[in-house]
Structure formats: structure tokens, C-alpha cells
Amino acid sequence: MKAVITGATKGIGRAISLKLAQNGYDLILVARGEGDLKTLKDELTPYGNVVFTHSADFSVKEEVYAFLNSANINFNGVTVLVNNVGIFLPGSLLDEADETFEKQQHLNLNASYYTSKFFGKKMRSARQGHIFNICSVASKAPVKNGGSYSVTKAAMLSLNHVLRQELAPHNVKVTAFLPGSTKTSSWEGTTIPDEKFVQPEDIAETLFTILNLSKGVNVDEVLITPLDF
């Protein structure tokens, strides 16, 4: 069992990395910060898994493809891809700089497009695998003060649907997560109590449960929100 997790060192990505490592998965972890990757790798060492780390800025296409080229040489048999990398830049779509939209598009959509094509083709040939796309409640309805973020997350959900349609005949599963307010670094400094948030571990637990469902079932979407935010 081998999983690729993007945006692996914080929040949702970190929780998923820990959960899969605890359950026997070898991991390929991608994030921007080399120091954070080393810290996470050290934390996962006691589980005895093979853990490979790759530092890349996934807002830069060339760095995404540098990772994919490395994966093509060094890794075979990836069965799980978690497209988690992303960014939230608050603001009004009408008033923001173009670069605000472009950066979110590169991280929230383009990076998942490139990685899903690469690993999706391999899963299609192997006739097995599961792709998870960490979308957002903003994929279904715009969030206040999150104009461009909502646009890019809606596009990511559409990407998820297309992938599922194309890969289902080849026995490859595709699932979208649509979390509401989740206690990640995006909420750093907030005075809202932790218990008001979805926890990253909730998403990791749910993802692992989905991985262990029967062969013939696909969970299309998971909407997970705070009880009383």
C-alpha cells in the first residue's frame, strides 16, 4: 500500500499522513518546507514505513512536474492519491488583484489536475487505486469574503467529477471531501474554541474508513461541517 499526499505537513494533510502510516502505508509526502517535511518524516519513523519526502512549490508548474518526473523514476504501485495542497486568500473577487486569483488557481486546481492525470493514468493501467480531492463547502456555494477561493474550489469539484466518470470503468475510485471550517493553519490566531471546528483527524478517520469499504462501492462526496459553528 503506497500513498501520495500533497500539502502533507500541516492540518488535513498531516492528519492523513499519520493515519495512513499507522495503518501500514508507505508514503510519498510533498510540501513546500523541507524542515517541516523532515519533522514529519521523523515523527512517522516509529511506524516502520517507507517515507519519501519531496519539497516543491505546487503553485509552480515546473516544480509539480519535477516531482512527477521523480515519481516516475522512483515509485511504482501508488494506490492512493490525496490532492490536499491548497490555499485560502480572503477577499472580494471584484476588488482583488489578478494575482490573488491566479495563485489560488495554481494551487487549488492546476496542481491537482497535473497530479491526477499522472497518477490516474497509472491507476487506470493497473485497474486499481483511489484518488481523494480535498475540496470545500465553497465548492457548492460561495463563502463570504472568499470569491476566488470559491471559484477555484468549485472547479476542483468539477475536476473530481470528471475523474470519477473517466476512471470508474477502470476500477479506480474518486472521492471529494467538502469540509466546512476545519482547524488548520488558516485559522491561526482565532479566538474561536477548537471544539467549534471540524478537526483534521475527523477527515483522516473518514478517509481511512472509505478506503476499507467493499470493492464495488464508491463514496462520491463527503460533506463534513461543524455541528454549531
Tab-separated table of all heavy atoms in Angstrom, residues 9 17 22 45 47 53 56 58-59 80 82 91 97 100 119 124 131 135 140 149 159 161 164 172 196 205 210 217:
chain	number	residue	atom	x	y	z
A	9	THR	N	2.306	18.428	5.327
A	9	THR	CA	2.928	18.700	6.622
A	9	THR	C	2.038	19.432	7.608
A	9	THR	O	2.409	19.574	8.778
A	9	THR	CB	4.217	19.532	6.429
A	9	THR	OG1	3.906	20.728	5.703
A	9	THR	CG2	5.271	18.731	5.684
A	17	SER	N	-1.535	11.763	6.738
A	17	SER	CA	-0.225	11.097	6.728
A	17	SER	C	-0.059	10.211	7.952
A	17	SER	O	0.383	9.051	7.852
A	17	SER	CB	0.894	12.138	6.676
A	17	SER	OG	0.813	12.940	5.514
A	22	GLN	N	0.138	4.859	10.355
A	22	GLN	CA	-0.229	3.991	11.474
A	22	GLN	C	-0.879	2.691	10.998
A	22	GLN	O	-0.962	1.724	11.758
A	22	GLN	CB	-1.180	4.731	12.415
A	22	GLN	CG	-0.522	5.852	13.191
A	22	GLN	CD	-1.527	6.824	13.788
A	22	GLN	OE1	-2.737	6.676	13.611
A	22	GLN	NE2	-1.037	7.837	14.484
A	45	THR	N	8.681	7.803	11.602
A	45	THR	CA	9.686	6.740	11.625
A	45	THR	C	9.319	5.555	12.515
A	45	THR	O	9.533	4.394	12.125
A	45	THR	CB	11.051	7.319	12.048
A	45	THR	OG1	11.474	8.284	11.068
A	45	THR	CG2	12.102	6.222	12.162
A	47	TYR	N	6.730	4.006	12.971
A	47	TYR	CA	5.765	3.076	12.390
A	47	TYR	C	6.413	2.106	11.400
A	47	TYR	O	5.765	1.157	10.950
A	47	TYR	CB	4.625	3.851	11.716
A	47	TYR	CG	3.886	4.755	12.679
A	47	TYR	CD1	3.984	6.138	12.575
A	47	TYR	CD2	3.121	4.218	13.706
A	47	TYR	CE1	3.334	6.963	13.474
A	47	TYR	CE2	2.465	5.047	14.609
A	47	TYR	CZ	2.576	6.416	14.488
A	47	TYR	OH	1.936	7.239	15.382
A	53	THR	N	10.122	12.004	1.019
A	53	THR	CA	9.644	13.385	1.030
A	53	THR	C	10.200	14.140	-0.173
A	53	THR	O	11.304	13.859	-0.648
A	53	THR	CB	10.050	14.118	2.321
A	53	THR	OG1	11.482	14.173	2.413
A	53	THR	CG2	9.476	13.411	3.540
A	56	ALA	N	8.496	20.960	-2.801
A	56	ALA	CA	8.108	21.618	-4.051
A	56	ALA	C	7.050	22.666	-3.767
A	56	ALA	O	6.209	22.507	-2.881
A	56	ALA	CB	7.569	20.601	-5.054
A	58	PHE	N	3.927	23.865	-5.230
A	58	PHE	CA	2.981	23.358	-6.214
A	58	PHE	C	2.201	24.461	-6.930
A	58	PHE	O	1.357	24.171	-7.769
A	58	PHE	CB	2.019	22.365	-5.552
A	58	PHE	CG	2.418	20.923	-5.768
A	58	PHE	CD1	3.750	20.552	-5.781
A	58	PHE	CD2	1.465	19.940	-5.954
A	58	PHE	CE1	4.122	19.231	-5.982
A	58	PHE	CE2	1.816	18.616	-6.160
A	58	PHE	CZ	3.150	18.257	-6.179
A	59	SER	N	2.491	25.719	-6.605
A	59	SER	CA	1.922	26.809	-7.402
A	59	SER	C	2.737	27.042	-8.671
A	59	SER	O	2.340	27.826	-9.536
A	59	SER	CB	1.851	28.104	-6.588
A	59	SER	OG	3.150	28.621	-6.328
A	80	VAL	N	-3.040	5.181	-3.660
A	80	VAL	CA	-3.848	6.269	-3.098
A	80	VAL	C	-3.174	7.599	-3.417
A	80	VAL	O	-1.967	7.760	-3.217
A	80	VAL	CB	-4.004	6.126	-1.568
A	80	VAL	CG1	-4.767	7.328	-0.993
A	80	VAL	CG2	-4.720	4.829	-1.211
A	82	VAL	N	-3.860	11.680	-2.513
A	82	VAL	CA	-4.642	12.678	-1.781
A	82	VAL	C	-4.213	14.061	-2.265
A	82	VAL	O	-3.114	14.526	-1.959
A	82	VAL	CB	-4.437	12.565	-0.260
A	82	VAL	CG1	-5.309	13.607	0.458
A	82	VAL	CG2	-4.770	11.155	0.225
A	91	GLY	N	-10.942	37.690	0.391
A	91	GLY	CA	-11.122	38.943	-0.315
A	91	GLY	C	-12.267	38.909	-1.300
A	91	GLY	O	-12.815	37.861	-1.622
A	97	ALA	N	-6.466	41.791	-6.523
A	97	ALA	CA	-5.518	41.780	-7.635
A	97	ALA	C	-5.657	40.472	-8.407
A	97	ALA	O	-6.038	39.437	-7.846
A	97	ALA	CB	-4.090	41.910	-7.099
A	100	THR	N	-4.159	37.293	-6.972
A	100	THR	CA	-4.847	36.563	-5.904
A	100	THR	C	-5.601	35.371	-6.474
A	100	THR	O	-5.542	34.260	-5.936
A	100	THR	CB	-5.813	37.490	-5.157
A	100	THR	OG1	-5.073	38.567	-4.572
A	100	THR	CG2	-6.564	36.751	-4.069
A	119	PHE	N	-0.996	10.238	-11.976
A	119	PHE	CA	-1.257	9.013	-11.210
A	119	PHE	C	-2.533	8.324	-11.685
A	119	PHE	O	-2.638	7.091	-11.588
A	119	PHE	CB	-1.326	9.330	-9.717
A	119	PHE	CG	0.010	9.680	-9.132
A	119	PHE	CD1	0.307	10.990	-8.783
A	119	PHE	CD2	0.984	8.711	-8.944
A	119	PHE	CE1	1.548	11.325	-8.246
A	119	PHE	CE2	2.226	9.034	-8.419
A	119	PHE	CZ	2.512	10.350	-8.075
A	124	ARG	N	-5.250	3.670	-13.863
A	124	ARG	CA	-6.078	3.119	-14.948
A	124	ARG	C	-5.426	1.873	-15.534
A	124	ARG	O	-6.101	0.855	-15.761
A	124	ARG	CB	-6.275	4.173	-16.036
A	124	ARG	CG	-7.125	3.714	-17.214
A	124	ARG	CD	-7.312	4.828	-18.219
A	124	ARG	NE	-6.049	5.242	-18.837
A	124	ARG	CZ	-5.934	6.251	-19.702
A	124	ARG	NH1	-7.001	6.961	-20.038
A	124	ARG	NH2	-4.758	6.549	-20.219
A	131	ILE	N	-8.395	8.079	-5.688
A	131	ILE	CA	-7.996	9.486	-5.652
A	131	ILE	C	-8.961	10.235	-4.742
A	131	ILE	O	-10.182	10.143	-4.901
A	131	ILE	CB	-8.000	10.111	-7.055
A	131	ILE	CG1	-6.971	9.421	-7.954
A	131	ILE	CG2	-7.709	11.620	-6.973
A	131	ILE	CD1	-7.015	9.894	-9.408
A	135	CYS	N	-11.694	19.193	-1.371
A	135	CYS	CA	-12.359	20.387	-1.884
A	135	CYS	C	-12.810	21.257	-0.706
A	135	CYS	O	-12.026	21.487	0.205
A	135	CYS	CB	-13.530	19.981	-2.779
A	135	CYS	SG	-13.050	19.000	-4.233
A	140	LYS	N	-19.574	24.084	-3.434
A	140	LYS	CA	-21.004	24.025	-3.728
A	140	LYS	C	-21.689	25.388	-3.666
A	140	LYS	O	-22.642	25.654	-4.397
A	140	LYS	CB	-21.694	23.075	-2.744
A	140	LYS	CG	-21.365	21.599	-2.950
A	140	LYS	CD	-21.988	21.071	-4.241
A	140	LYS	CE	-21.809	19.572	-4.403
A	140	LYS	NZ	-22.695	18.768	-3.556
A	149	TYR	N	-11.365	31.996	-4.105
A	149	TYR	CA	-11.252	30.682	-3.464
A	149	TYR	C	-12.453	29.821	-3.845
A	149	TYR	O	-12.301	28.649	-4.226
A	149	TYR	CB	-11.182	30.860	-1.953
A	149	TYR	CG	-11.168	29.560	-1.177
A	149	TYR	CD1	-10.001	28.817	-1.046
A	149	TYR	CD2	-12.334	29.090	-0.560
A	149	TYR	CE1	-9.979	27.632	-0.329
A	149	TYR	CE2	-12.318	27.901	0.159
A	149	TYR	CZ	-11.143	27.184	0.277
A	149	TYR	OH	-11.143	26.008	0.986
A	159	LEU	N	-13.465	18.918	-11.476
A	159	LEU	CA	-12.363	18.013	-11.821
A	159	LEU	C	-12.582	16.652	-11.190
A	159	LEU	O	-12.392	15.604	-11.826
A	159	LEU	CB	-11.035	18.613	-11.350
A	159	LEU	CG	-9.795	17.717	-11.433
A	159	LEU	CD1	-9.445	17.413	-12.888
A	159	LEU	CD2	-8.607	18.368	-10.722
A	161	HIS	N	-15.401	15.212	-10.415
A	161	HIS	CA	-16.477	14.500	-11.108
A	161	HIS	C	-15.996	13.916	-12.437
A	161	HIS	O	-16.360	12.791	-12.802
A	161	HIS	CB	-17.648	15.447	-11.359
A	161	HIS	CG	-18.333	15.914	-10.109
A	161	HIS	ND1	-18.313	15.215	-8.929
A	161	HIS	CD2	-19.086	17.031	-9.868
A	161	HIS	CE1	-19.012	15.865	-8.009
A	161	HIS	NE2	-19.486	16.970	-8.556
A	164	ARG	N	-13.831	10.873	-11.769
A	164	ARG	CA	-14.625	9.710	-11.386
A	164	ARG	C	-15.293	9.083	-12.610
A	164	ARG	O	-15.315	7.861	-12.776
A	164	ARG	CB	-15.673	10.097	-10.343
A	164	ARG	CG	-16.445	8.889	-9.796
A	164	ARG	CD	-17.332	9.251	-8.627
A	164	ARG	NE	-18.384	10.172	-8.999
A	164	ARG	CZ	-18.486	11.419	-8.589
A	164	ARG	NH1	-17.565	11.922	-7.790
A	164	ARG	NH2	-19.488	12.181	-8.956
A	172	VAL	N	-11.121	2.311	-10.697
A	172	VAL	CA	-10.436	3.313	-9.879
A	172	VAL	C	-11.486	4.224	-9.246
A	172	VAL	O	-12.365	4.732	-9.934
A	172	VAL	CB	-9.445	4.138	-10.716
A	172	VAL	CG1	-8.783	5.218	-9.854
A	172	VAL	CG2	-8.381	3.221	-11.329
A	196	LYS	N	-15.392	23.991	18.226
A	196	LYS	CA	-16.346	24.523	17.252
A	196	LYS	C	-15.991	24.105	15.817
A	196	LYS	O	-16.786	24.276	14.909
A	196	LYS	CB	-16.375	26.053	17.330
A	196	LYS	CG	-17.068	26.605	18.567
A	196	LYS	CD	-18.574	26.447	18.473
A	196	LYS	CE	-19.293	27.159	19.582
A	196	LYS	NZ	-20.773	27.046	19.456
A	205	GLU	N	-9.834	10.114	9.631
A	205	GLU	CA	-10.561	8.909	10.042
A	205	GLU	C	-11.593	8.517	8.990
A	205	GLU	O	-11.762	7.334	8.665
A	205	GLU	CB	-11.255	9.146	11.389
A	205	GLU	CG	-10.321	9.266	12.580
A	205	GLU	CD	-9.721	7.934	13.001
A	205	GLU	OE1	-10.225	6.878	12.574
A	205	GLU	OE2	-8.736	7.960	13.768
A	210	ILE	N	-13.325	5.031	4.329
A	210	ILE	CA	-13.711	4.888	2.921
A	210	ILE	C	-12.771	3.924	2.198
A	210	ILE	O	-13.204	3.103	1.383
A	210	ILE	CB	-13.734	6.265	2.237
A	210	ILE	CG1	-14.878	7.109	2.800
A	210	ILE	CG2	-13.862	6.126	0.716
A	210	ILE	CD1	-14.850	8.566	2.368
A	217	VAL	N	-18.004	-0.339	-4.172
A	217	VAL	CA	-18.690	0.885	-3.765
A	217	VAL	C	-17.757	2.085	-3.891
A	217	VAL	O	-16.560	1.983	-3.640
A	217	VAL	CB	-19.216	0.769	-2.313
A	217	VAL	CG1	-18.077	0.666	-1.323
A	217	VAL	CG2	-20.121	1.939	-1.956
